[in-house]
Amino acid sequence: MQLVVGRIGRAHGIKGDVFVEVRTDEPELRLGPGAVLLTDPSSAGPLTVESGKVHSGRLLIRFAGVKDRTDAEALRNTMLIAEVDPEERPEDEDEYYDHQLIGLDVVLLDGTLIGELTEVVHLPYQDLLTVTRPDGTEVLIPFVSKIVPTIDLENQRAVIDPPGGLIDPTEAESDGGPETSR
């Protein structure tokens, strides 16, 4: 199975180094020296990581065969893809690959079906689960343990405990703040 693990950014210096926007929780494994990565577009690869380091808080990588700034700039915006065993799990038991979550039934604590998990949206501060309801509408669920206490891969379901109003806006609770109409 293929996982997107990064996107090549701008070149750095004259020796072929590039900044990489990391899209994996395991950069040392997926983007470490010796890693062979497929690319999108496929004509840019495969690429083999020759070396890498953190520079100014960002990952800086040199690929084998990329010898100068011109070669490096030609790779800009190329997606880096790792080949991963579909049975492989992240090291942390509370982490999941997106492909493990897509297709799960999303249910409330009492077992009421809310819908199917159709996408994981990765944002800088938190991930969101896109749930497609039986009527075709979508709802975004913050992927935090308080709201999503259980991921049960064996039974193919995600159990949620949403605050009032998250699933059905008519159930939203007032915060006691000032009223908006008079």
Side-chain angles (χ1 to χ4, degrees), residues 16-17 19 36-37 49 58 63 68 76 78 83 101 104 112 116 121 123 142-143 145 154-155 157 160 167 178 182:
D17 294 342
F19 284 107
V36 177
L37 302 165
V49 176
R58 296 183 294 170
F63 293 104
D68 59 29
R76 192 173 194 158
T78 298
E83 201 55 56
L101 301 174
L104 295 182
T112 303
E116 178 183 344
V121 180
L123 300 175
F143 194 19
S145 58
E154 188 174 316
N155 293 307
R157 63 188 207 146
I160 64 171
I167 303 299
R182 295 182 180 223

Side-chain angles (χ1 to χ4, degrees), residues 173-182:
E173 298 174 15
S174 171
D175 65 0
E179 293 184 32
T180 55
S181 61
R182 295 182 180 223

Side-chain angles (χ1 to χ4, degrees), residues 101 103-108 111-118 129-132 139 141 148 156-160 167:
L101 301 174
L104 295 182
D105 287 335
V106 178
V107 298
L108 296 176
T112 303
L113 179 68
I114 298 300
E116 178 183 344
L117 199 156
T118 54
L129 303 177
T130 302
V131 178
T132 302
V139 62
I141 308 291
V148 186
Q156 288 293 292
R157 63 188 207 146
V159 179
I160 64 171
I167 303 299

Side-chain angles (χ1 to χ4, degrees), residues 68-125:
D68 59 29
R69 187 176 185 92
T70 303
D71 290 348
E73 277 297 335
L75 294 173
R76 192 173 194 158
N77 292 320
T78 298
M79 301 303 284
L80 300 171
I81 302 164
E83 201 55 56
V84 177
D85 180 344
E87 299 302 313
E88 184 178 329
R89 291 280 314 264
E91 289 180 19
D92 186 340
E93 67 180 44
D94 290 331
E95 291 183 3
Y96 304 92
Y97 294 128
D98 291 3
H99 73 273
Q100 294 173 301
L101 301 174
I102 304 299
L104 295 182
D105 287 335
V106 178
V107 298
L108 296 176
L109 293 172
D110 67 5
T112 303
L113 179 68
I114 298 300
E116 178 183 344
L117 199 156
T118 54
E119 182 182 12
V120 180
V121 180
H122 299 282
L123 300 175
Y125 296 103

